[in-house]
């Protein structure tokens, strides 16, 4: 091993041992003011875990004193910066409940949303945290409509909404790709396509201004055509007519879409069926 590296590792070990000894001494100290100031110093140095450990122990001791409010908020910040987001969210909620008119009430309310936002999963997974984060941001803006953080909260709300829309798009695509898979279809055919249509239509109803609107429209158009093709004979006429109407509507709304040719091809096939030509 390189001699200089060995010396460095030795010094680092000694330093860590010294810091740990110092921390343990402070943590056990009965001088609460000293412990509190040490925790604040550790926070400013970026040693968030150490600060959080001491502040968490100090919250109850400081409650009811002039430092109680600051201690609780700083505990939340240390925990948040230490990336323990779930715990931090609960601490900020506790602060806001305890000090609704407090000095840090606005930031604490905003930070509840920030904490939950940090835990939001990718669109394919359960989106319960997404709804929770959206509620937290909305609650924040309702109480603090003129906050300097309002713009950021609104942006995060749109980001979260996009996750929900993407979740619905993934579900709709899944139904479409399952197609006529018999494990999820009845004897009348096309239940997966019907599920795709309903999912996509509901998404457009719930999120009318989504940037993914065209992608949902494509799935609806394709599903209606496939539903008609795979339907029993007594239902085909009505479903082909519905598919044809959907294709015309799609072209009108998205005249420059790359799927325009698909819509036109579907229209011709639908017309052949309604005209009585079998090989559509």
């Amino acid at each position: 091993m390189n001699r200089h590296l060995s010396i460095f590792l030795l010094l680092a070990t000694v330093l860590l041992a010294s810091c740990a000894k110092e921390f343990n001494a402070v943590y056990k100290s009965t001088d609460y003011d000293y412990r509190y100031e040490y925790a604040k110093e550790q926070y400013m140095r970026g040693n968030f875990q150490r600060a959080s450990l001491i502040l968490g122990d100090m919250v109850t001791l400081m409650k009811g004193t002039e430092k109680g409010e600051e201690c609780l908020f700083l505990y939340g910040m240390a925990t948040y910066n230490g990336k323990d987001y779930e715990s931090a969210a609960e601490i900020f909620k506790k602060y806001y409940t305890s000090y609704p008119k407090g000095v840090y009430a606005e930031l604490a309310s905003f930070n509840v949303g920030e904490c939950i936002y940090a835990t939001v999963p990718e669109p394919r997974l359960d989106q319960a945290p997404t709804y929770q984060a959206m509620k937290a941001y909305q609650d924040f803006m309702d109480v603090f409509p003129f906050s300097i953080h309002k713009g950021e909260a609104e942006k995060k709300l749109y980001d979260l909404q996009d996750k929900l829309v993407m979740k619905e798009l993934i579900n709709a695509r899944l139904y479409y790709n399952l197609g006529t898979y018999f494990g999820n279809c009845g004897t009348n055919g096309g239940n997966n396509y019907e599920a795709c249509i309903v999912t996509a239509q509901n998404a457009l109803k719930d999120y009318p201004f989504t940037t993914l609107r065209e992608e949902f429209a494509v799935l609806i158009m394709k599903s209606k055509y496939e539903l008609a093709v795979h339907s029993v004979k007594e239902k085909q006429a009505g479903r082909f007519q519905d598919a044809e109407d959907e294709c015309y509507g799609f072209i009108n709304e998205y005249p420059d879409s790359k799927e325009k040719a698909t819509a036109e091809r579907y229209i011709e096939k639908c017309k052949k069926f309604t005209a009585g030509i079998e090989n559509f």
Side-chain angles (χ1 to χ4, degrees):
M1 181 181 290
N2 184 284
R3 182 170 177 272
H4 294 293
L5 179 58
S6 298
I7 294 173
F8 173 78
L9 291 174
L10 178 61
L11 290 174
T13 301
V14 171
L15 180 61
L16 287 173
S18 176
C19 290
K21 184 177 181 180
E22 178 189 43
F23 175 80
N24 288 332
V26 173
Y27 189 78
K28 295 176 181 179
S29 174
T30 56
D31 186 340
Y32 298 151
D33 288 334
Y34 173 61
R35 286 169 64 184
Y36 185 55
E37 292 304 316
Y38 179 83
K40 291 171 68 174
E41 179 186 346
Q42 292 301 305
Y43 178 83
M44 295 302 295
R45 290 184 176 183
N47 297 324
F48 301 120
Q49 186 175 10
R50 288 190 173 189
S52 180
L53 285 170
I54 294 177
L55 290 167
D57 192 49
M58 296 294 294
V59 165
T60 302
L61 298 172
M62 291 289 184
K63 186 176 181 180
T65 71
E66 61 180 14
K67 296 179 180 179
E69 179 182 347
E70 180 188 63
C71 181
L72 181 57
F73 180 76
L74 194 59
Y75 177 37
M77 291 299 298
T79 305
Y80 173 75
N81 285 305
K83 299 184 179 181
D84 184 357
Y85 300 117
E86 292 184 7
S87 296
E90 293 305 313
I91 297 169
F92 286 126
K93 288 177 184 178
K94 181 179 179 180
Y95 173 92
Y96 186 73
T97 301
S98 302
Y99 307 99
K101 302 295 183 181
V103 177
Y104 310 105
E106 180 180 325
L107 190 53
S109 178
F110 174 70
N111 282 347
V112 172
E114 291 288 274
C115 290
I116 304 174
Y117 182 86
T119 68
V120 169
E122 62 173 296
R124 293 180 183 276
L125 303 177
D126 176 52
Q127 293 301 299
T130 302
Y131 288 105
Q132 293 170 5
M134 292 177 71
K135 184 180 185 304
Y137 282 126
Q138 190 61 60
D139 288 345
F140 161 72
M141 291 190 292
D142 288 344
V143 179
F144 303 99
F146 305 109
S147 172
I148 60 173
H149 299 291
K150 181 181 178 181
E152 189 175 356
E154 288 178 331
K155 182 181 181 301
K156 295 287 180 62
L157 269 175
Y158 289 129
D159 290 343
L160 292 166
Q161 188 178 88
D162 286 344
K163 282 184 175 289
L164 296 180
V165 176
M166 181 55 71
K167 175 76 170 180
E168 294 306 305
L169 183 60
I170 290 171
N171 289 339
R173 284 174 176 167
L174 176 61
Y175 285 126
Y176 179 78
N177 291 332
L178 284 172
T180 57
Y181 172 60
F182 69 92
N184 200 39
C185 288
T187 56
N188 64 336
N191 283 349
N192 289 315
Y193 294 122
E194 289 178 311
C196 176
I197 294 167
V198 171
T199 300
Q201 288 177 335
N202 286 340
L204 291 177
K205 181 180 178 181
D206 293 338
Y207 311 102
F209 304 110
T210 175
T211 56
L212 299 173
R213 185 177 182 83
E214 183 179 341
E215 294 189 53
F216 282 112
V218 169
L219 286 171
I220 293 171
M221 175 184 69
K222 290 183 175 181
S223 291
K224 285 193 174 184
Y225 175 76
E226 294 296 339
L227 180 61
V229 170
H230 296 94
S231 293
V232 292
K233 287 187 178 296
E234 57 266 26
K235 292 187 176 183
Q236 281 189 316
R239 287 179 172 175
F240 270 113
Q241 186 60 61
D242 187 29
E244 184 179 339
D245 293 342
E246 189 68 36
C247 290
Y248 277 120
F250 178 83
I251 292 172
N252 287 335
E253 188 170 358
Y254 307 100
D256 300 319
S257 173
K258 63 180 182 180
E259 294 288 353
K260 181 181 179 181
T262 301
E264 291 173 337
R265 186 171 71 254
Y266 284 170
I267 288 172
E268 291 305 310
K269 290 185 175 182
C270 289
K271 285 183 179 296
K272 286 182 179 180
F273 177 85
T274 55
I277 301 175
E278 294 184 359
N279 295 320
F280 58 93

